[in-house]
Amino acid sequence: MKFLGIIPARFASSRFPGKPLVDIEGQTMIQRVYEQVKKSKKITKVIVATDDQRIASEVRSFGGNVVMTSETHQSGTDRCAEVISHNREYDVVINIQGDEPFINPEQIDLLAACFENPQTKIATLVKEIETSEELFNLNIPKVVRNVCGEAIYFSRQTIPFLRGVNQEQWLEKQKFYKHIGIYAYQADTLRALTRLPVSGLEEAEALEQLRWIENGYAIQTAVTTHETVAVDTKEDLDKILKLFFNK
């Protein structure tokens, strides 16, 4: 199978404008993400999908592949669908977040391995929650899976709810998983997803993947042991500098 890695990148961000171009110890964030994705053993080609010429120029400056996409896209999924419409030789698209400069390539390969099962249409990663801070953090989406490893539901609330158990004991009584926001789709499935209307569950939770579940799509999950560090704010960037560079 041929895997196309796409990194959607926007300049406009309400919490951190211009973050793809922020410098991280001599390299921009988008370059660090790009080079990490290139280390994957499964990815055939990597493309940055953007609507901003400043980002496009930066990608070209370090020899990367970039495609200009529409300014009207509402999500990275839509941006990926536009790119795959011009790259039909690929079987699977892997959508990599553009704000995770130290994503582990093994995570990408783990996700790609889900498609060894020809029934897999969509796949994503989850990680076991290890702390109460994460478990009850409403900014961290949680996932409930079935016995086949498919996602049943995603929520910002803590799910499943443990009736009759003190919250301090929840991690002792049940495995909980958080969602790692990297997706892969069969190319035809990706095109179909972008034609679906916004769903009620998606609006309620502000989680795009609920639209797919609500429309009957199965989302296969794989469990990673690697942590991901996303940069949503300047404060997150400060944490990364301390974590990786002792700044």
Side-chain angles (χ1 to χ4, degrees):
M1 301 184 76
K2 295 184 69 174
F3 292 87
L4 177 61
I6 302 178
I7 308 168
R10 295 186 311 119
F11 190 90
S13 169
S14 58
R15 290 193 285 179
F16 196 168
K19 68 179 178 179
L21 301 182
V22 69
D23 180 82
I24 302 177
E25 290 296 295
Q27 289 184 324
T28 56
M29 184 185 303
I30 193 64
Q31 182 176 359
R32 287 191 176 275
V33 176
Y34 191 96
E35 293 186 354
Q36 287 300 103
V37 177
K38 282 187 65 177
K39 294 176 184 176
S40 164
K41 297 175 182 178
K42 298 288 189 179
I43 295 287
T44 309
K45 183 178 182 180
V46 185
I47 294 176
V48 173
T50 187
D51 59 4
D52 191 278
Q53 287 291 350
R54 289 164 291 189
I55 294 173
S57 295
E58 167 61 18
V59 175
R60 294 188 189 106
S61 75
F62 61 74
N65 299 307
V66 62
V67 171
M68 295 300 296
T69 54
S70 171
E71 298 179 358
T72 62
H73 290 313
Q74 297 299 306
S75 69
T77 306
D78 295 330
R79 213 169 289 282
C80 288
E82 180 179 344
V83 173
I84 196 62
S85 69
H86 303 292
N87 293 269
R88 292 183 176 271
E89 68 272 28
Y90 294 94
D91 304 294
V92 175
V93 173
I94 299 184
N95 178 353
I96 301 105
Q97 299 290 331
D99 59 4
E100 295 181 2
F102 298 100
I103 185 171
N104 193 309
E106 292 179 4
Q107 291 182 308
I108 299 170
D109 295 341
L110 176 64
L111 188 60
C114 292
F115 292 85
E116 292 173 5
N117 179 349
Q119 301 303 313
T120 300
K121 304 295 184 184
I122 310 171
T124 194
L125 297 183
V126 300
K127 185 179 184 296
E128 186 173 350
I129 292 175
E130 299 174 352
T131 68
S132 293
E133 181 182 1
E134 283 189 325
L135 184 61
F136 299 106
N137 186 334
L138 297 182
N139 293 316
I140 298 177
K142 304 7 173 247
V143 193
V144 173
R145 310 188 307 152
N146 64 20
V147 294
C148 299
E150 297 167 341
I152 298 173
Y153 195 71
F154 296 80
S155 180
R156 299 183 188 278
Q157 288 286 351
T158 305
I159 52 173
F161 175 81
L162 300 192
R163 182 179 177 185
V165 179
N166 290 329
Q167 288 189 348
E168 293 81 4
Q169 298 177 302
W170 279 22
L171 286 174
E172 301 171 15
K173 302 293 185 181
Q174 176 77 31
K175 276 191 178 182
F176 293 87
Y177 294 95
K178 64 179 177 179
H179 182 219
I180 304 297
I182 176 173
Y183 296 104
Y185 334 76
Q186 284 193 9
D188 289 344
T189 299
L190 173 57
R191 285 187 278 267
L193 293 178
T194 60
R195 294 193 291 267
L196 297 174
V198 175
S199 74
L201 291 177
E202 176 187 8
E203 285 189 324
E205 295 261 17
L207 294 173
E208 179 187 19
Q209 60 270 35
L210 291 176
R211 183 193 315 184
W212 313 336
I213 290 178
E214 200 166 357
N215 280 276
Y217 284 90
I219 303 176
Q220 183 64 45
T221 69
V223 180
T224 179
T225 57
H226 296 294
E227 193 60 80
T228 57
V229 184
V231 179
D232 291 320
T233 65
K234 291 181 179 179
E235 289 73 25
D236 292 334
L237 178 59
D238 292 338
K239 291 177 184 177
I240 274 189
L241 293 174
K242 290 178 182 178
L243 182 63
F244 290 96
F245 301 104
N246 296 315
K247 294 290 183 178

